């Protein structure tokens, strides 16, 4: 079986290669790997669609694309594609694209027809009934006295109905089947073997408009009014309902799984499900460039994410010493246009707590203040203080505006001006920073982003030195300009 698959794909390769050489010339070679024009066009057009705000020219996009390919080359050299986590995630995405191609609309149609036929055979000539009922529940553990009480009640309801009482109204008021009771006792269409035998026997004995006497089922006493009867409609009139129901139940996934299992079994142990799915993806890619580059895009994208995390993102975020050095050497980039207050605005009930709060956090790092204050002053359901912690500029916090910046701003985004009688005393503690952040942690997110940008540039520069890049300018000029 493996030989047959390999032979089938081998027959495609010479033709595909010959076609590519004449109709899909190489636009660039990066790290020794040729990039056909169609691949570059796929990427360029996808990233410069109508919904893209920052569109790039072909010339501008070349640098971005080359950098992308260089990073992928580095990931492949690092053998990141051999990691089990990479293989599993790529296989999951690949299968999401491939599995639907194993199922056709005709497959779903055939299942819908089979389901209809089974239902039709089960219903037979008895057809479908649409009953309404009034139910008075009775436990199977009920005593003789309890049984008699319920029997008397259902008999009373029956007599009222015979005397002309409205069935729907009594169902709404008295039925213990609340769901149907809200609809006047009306139940869905019922076929054979879908409910208790006692209920089914009575229901099928009634003609449209007839009402039953009270009878007992395993759940209690019923009175049934037959609202309608019919035979199952022809398939064509129900087709959409059957198809939609199967689609909601995931029939395509079920068919695909069954088909893959059948192919594995048919190979008699020669092929695994993984090999079958890879062979299928290869065959799709051989005849569909968009599918081929979609697979490649996700494959390379996973590699790019992993190597970028290692070389840039995680590396920058985790190296606190490097972040501090970067901040100190680029401090001028973080000058504020207006002063900030780094500290807390807090509200207390007792004047003693004003000093107690300051003493509590005085010698602690800023990032520990919130937790220490919580455990010291608000350890349980008794709340002694309310606190807002942060780095505030004018307009951010009413208490800080009033007590630090000496303004009364109506535009404060935090309504911390204390109007509650529960915490009548306002206070602040911290420091006013006129021009610069106190340290890099005050602007950590911005510093991380800037440091990541630096690492990215240095990494790309090393990759440019490490791997050769050759651009075919004559082919580049034909991007989106050829038959």
């Amino acid at each position: 079986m493996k030989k047959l698959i390999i032979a089938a794909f081998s027959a495609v390769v010479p033709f595909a290669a010959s076609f590519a050489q004449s109709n899909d010339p190489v636009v660039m070679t990066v790290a020794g790997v040729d990039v056909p024009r169609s691949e570059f066009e796929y990427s360029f057009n996808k990233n410069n669609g109508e919904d893209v705000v920052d569109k790039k020219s072909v010339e501008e996009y070349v640098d971005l694309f080359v950098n992308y390919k260089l990073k992928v080359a580095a990931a492949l050299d690092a053998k990141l594609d051999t990691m089990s986590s990479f293989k599993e995630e790529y296989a999951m995405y690949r299968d999401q694209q491939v599995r639907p191609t194993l199922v056709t609309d005709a497959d779903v149609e055939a299942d819908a027809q089979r389901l209809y036929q089974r239902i039709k055979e089960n219903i037979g000539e008895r057809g479908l009934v649409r009953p309404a009922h009034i139910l008075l529940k009775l436990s199977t553990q009920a005593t003789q006295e309890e049984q008699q009480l319920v029997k008397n009640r259902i008999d009373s309801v029956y007599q009222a109905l015979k005397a002309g009482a409205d069935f729907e109204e009594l169902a709404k008021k008295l039925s213990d089947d609340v769901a149907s009771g809200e609809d006047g006792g009306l139940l869905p269409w019922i076929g054979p073997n879908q409910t208790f035998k006692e209920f089914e026997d009575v229901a099928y004995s009634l003609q449209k408009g007839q009402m039953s006497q009270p009878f007992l089922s395993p759940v209690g006493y019923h009175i049934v009014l037959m609202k309608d009867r019919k035979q199952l409609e022809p398939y064509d009139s129900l087709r959409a309902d059957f198809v939609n129901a199967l689609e909601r139940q995931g029939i395509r996934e079920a068919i695909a799984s069954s088909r893959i299992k059948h192919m594995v079994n048919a190979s008699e142990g020669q092929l695994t499900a993984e090999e079958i799915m890879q062979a299928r993806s290869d065959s799709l890619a051989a005849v569909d460039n968009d599918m081929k580059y979609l697979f490649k895009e996700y494959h390379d994208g996973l590699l790019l994410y992993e190597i970028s995390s290692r070389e840039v993102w995680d590396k920058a975020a985790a190296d606190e010493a490097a972040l501090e050095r970067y901040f100190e050497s680029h401090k001028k980039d973080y000058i504020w246009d207006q002063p900030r207050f780094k500290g807390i605005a807090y509200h207390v009930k007792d004047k003693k707590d004003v000093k107690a709060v300051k003493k509590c956090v005085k010698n602690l790092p800023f990032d520990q203040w919130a937790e220490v204050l919580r455990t010291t002053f608000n350890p349980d359901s008794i709340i002694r203080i309310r606190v807002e912690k942060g780095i505030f500029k004018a307009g951010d916090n009413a208490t800080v505006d009033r007590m630090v910046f000496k303004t009364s701003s109506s535009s404060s985004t935090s309504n911390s001006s204390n109007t509650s009688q529960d915490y009548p005393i306002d206070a602040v503690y911290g420091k006013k920073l006129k021009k610069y952040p106190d340290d890099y942690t005050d602007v950590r997110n911005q510093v991380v982003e800037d440091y990541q940008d630096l690492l990215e540039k240095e990494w790309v520069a090393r990759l440019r030195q490490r791997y050769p890049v050759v651009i075919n300018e004559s082919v580049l000029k034909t991007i989106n300009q050829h038959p």
Side-chain angles (χ1 to χ4, degrees):
M1 184 66 71
K2 284 186 179 179
K3 290 181 179 178
L4 287 175
I5 293 176
I6 292 170
F9 291 144
S10 297
V12 176
V13 172
F15 170 77
S18 174
F19 182 84
Q21 289 172 359
S22 59
N23 293 279
D24 197 8
V26 173
V27 70
M28 66 180 68
T29 303
V30 181
V33 178
D34 291 340
V35 177
R37 179 174 61 191
S38 60
E39 181 182 352
F40 181 85
E41 284 181 336
Y42 171 88
S43 180
F44 175 77
N45 294 332
K46 185 171 183 177
N47 289 286
N48 283 277
E50 293 181 0
D51 57 338
V52 176
V53 176
D54 185 21
K55 295 183 186 294
K56 304 292 184 184
S57 67
V58 171
E59 291 73 18
E60 291 171 329
Y61 194 72
V62 166
D63 269 350
L64 297 175
F65 188 79
V66 167
N67 291 344
Y68 168 71
K69 285 293 185 180
L70 288 170
K71 294 170 187 176
V72 172
L76 289 171
D77 280 351
K79 301 190 183 306
L80 300 187
D81 59 328
T82 65
M83 297 189 307
S84 58
S85 58
F86 168 83
K87 292 179 179 180
E88 289 170 5
E89 188 168 358
Y90 174 70
M92 180 178 67
Y93 176 80
R94 177 203 63 201
D95 292 356
Q96 287 175 354
Q97 307 304 313
V98 172
R99 287 175 70 89
T101 70
L102 298 172
V103 184
T104 66
D105 290 342
D107 294 326
V108 178
E109 176 76 19
D111 262 39
Q113 290 180 354
R114 283 192 289 270
L115 177 59
Y116 172 84
Q117 200 58 40
R118 286 199 301 272
I119 292 175
K120 183 178 180 181
E121 291 172 1
N122 183 59
I123 291 173
E125 295 182 359
R126 299 181 72 188
L128 299 166
V129 294
R130 187 80 188 273
H133 79 144
I134 296 172
L135 168 67
L136 298 184
K137 288 183 177 179
L138 179 63
S139 169
T140 56
Q141 306 300 318
T143 65
Q144 287 289 338
E145 183 179 355
E146 290 169 335
Q147 292 179 38
Q148 191 59 49
L149 286 173
V150 177
K151 178 67 169 62
N152 292 341
R153 283 183 62 209
I154 199 70
D155 287 342
S156 297
V157 173
Y158 181 64
Q159 292 304 319
L161 289 169
K162 286 182 66 177
D166 185 85
F167 190 96
E168 291 187 11
E169 288 302 315
L170 288 185
K172 290 178 181 178
K173 292 178 181 178
L174 302 176
S175 181
D176 289 333
D177 182 355
V178 178
S180 70
E182 292 177 351
D183 198 18
L186 187 64
L187 293 166
W189 286 99
I190 295 173
N193 305 313
Q194 286 188 311
T195 184
F196 300 113
K197 185 178 186 304
E198 296 86 350
F199 189 98
E200 181 181 313
D201 288 345
V202 171
Y204 272 96
S205 72
L206 301 173
Q207 296 304 312
K208 183 177 179 179
Q210 281 189 312
M211 182 176 72
S212 76
Q213 294 182 2
F215 65 93
L216 186 63
S217 84
V219 294
Y221 280 100
H222 306 259
I223 299 172
V224 170
L225 174 63
M226 184 51 58
K227 304 295 287 186
D228 204 357
R229 298 186 65 140
K230 68 178 181 180
Q231 291 297 318
L232 184 65
E233 293 89 339
Y235 173 75
D236 287 346
S237 63
L238 297 175
R239 176 190 174 280
D241 293 335
F242 274 84
V243 169
N244 290 338
L246 288 174
E247 292 281 14
R248 288 194 299 271
Q249 294 168 14
I251 187 62
R252 291 180 183 268
E253 275 296 301
I255 293 173
S257 295
S258 176
R259 194 149 288 168
I260 294 167
K261 184 177 180 181
H262 174 74
M263 287 187 282
V264 170
N265 292 337
S267 76
E268 297 181 347
Q270 294 299 305
L271 288 174
T272 64
E274 165 64 23
E275 289 171 325
I276 288 171
M277 296 302 286
Q278 187 57 50
R280 178 68 176 176
S281 70
D282 290 342
S283 66
L284 291 170
V287 297
D288 186 339
N289 261 357
D290 283 349
M291 186 67 82
K292 175 174 71 175
Y293 292 136
L294 186 63
F295 288 138
K296 186 171 182 57
E297 179 181 35
Y298 198 79
H299 177 278
D300 291 354
L302 287 174
L303 292 175
L304 176 66
Y305 180 86
E306 182 63 31
I307 192 117
S308 296
S309 295
R310 296 183 180 199
E311 295 291 336
V312 177
W313 304 330
D314 293 349
K315 192 174 183 178
D319 194 341
E320 301 296 331
L323 291 174
E324 184 173 10
R325 289 194 301 271
Y326 182 87
F327 171 77
E328 292 298 332
S329 61
H330 296 80
K331 205 168 183 178
K332 65 180 185 302
D333 296 336
Y334 305 100
I335 295 176
W336 285 324
D337 57 353
Q338 56 181 302
R340 302 288 198 277
F341 173 72
K342 179 180 179 179
I344 53 174
Y346 60 105
H347 319 280
V348 301
K349 301 177 181 182
D350 190 328
K351 273 190 175 183
K352 294 180 181 178
D353 280 339
V354 173
K355 290 185 178 180
V357 167
K358 295 177 182 179
K359 184 177 180 181
C360 179
V361 300
K362 184 176 181 180
N363 297 314
L364 294 175
F366 186 59
D367 61 359
Q368 295 179 18
W369 288 14
E371 179 62 18
V372 170
L373 289 173
R374 185 189 68 79
T375 56
T376 303
F377 294 94
N378 303 331
D380 47 38
S381 59
I382 300 174
I383 308 301
R384 284 172 58 187
I385 64 172
R386 289 174 48 233
V387 180
E388 294 101 35
K389 171 180 173 288
I391 299 176
F392 307 96
K393 64 180 183 297
D396 284 348
N397 184 286
T399 302
V400 173
D401 285 351
R402 188 178 72 256
M403 301 186 74
V404 177
F405 297 120
K406 309 303 180 184
T407 63
S408 180
S409 174
S410 60
S411 63
S412 296
T413 57
S414 172
N415 184 24
S416 65
S417 182
N418 190 29
T419 59
S420 171
Q421 296 302 313
D422 294 334
Y423 302 90
I425 304 168
D426 295 339
V428 294
Y429 181 71
K431 64 170 70 173
K432 188 175 181 181
L433 307 172
K434 293 184 178 181
K435 191 174 182 180
Y436 293 106
D438 198 26
D439 58 53
Y440 82 97
T441 61
D442 297 342
V443 283
R444 190 179 189 282
N445 289 341
Q446 187 180 348
V447 173
V448 168
E449 289 181 10
D450 293 344
Y451 186 51
Q452 285 174 340
D453 287 343
L454 175 64
L455 291 180
E456 170 90 9
K457 290 174 183 175
E458 293 175 345
W459 181 37
V460 169
R462 293 195 303 272
L463 293 176
R464 291 272 183 168
Q465 292 180 341
R466 178 179 175 185
Y467 298 109
V469 176
V470 179
I471 308 295
N472 190 333
E473 297 291 346
S474 62
V475 175
L476 192 63
K477 292 177 181 177
T478 68
I479 297 299
N480 292 332
Q481 302 293 326
H482 57 89

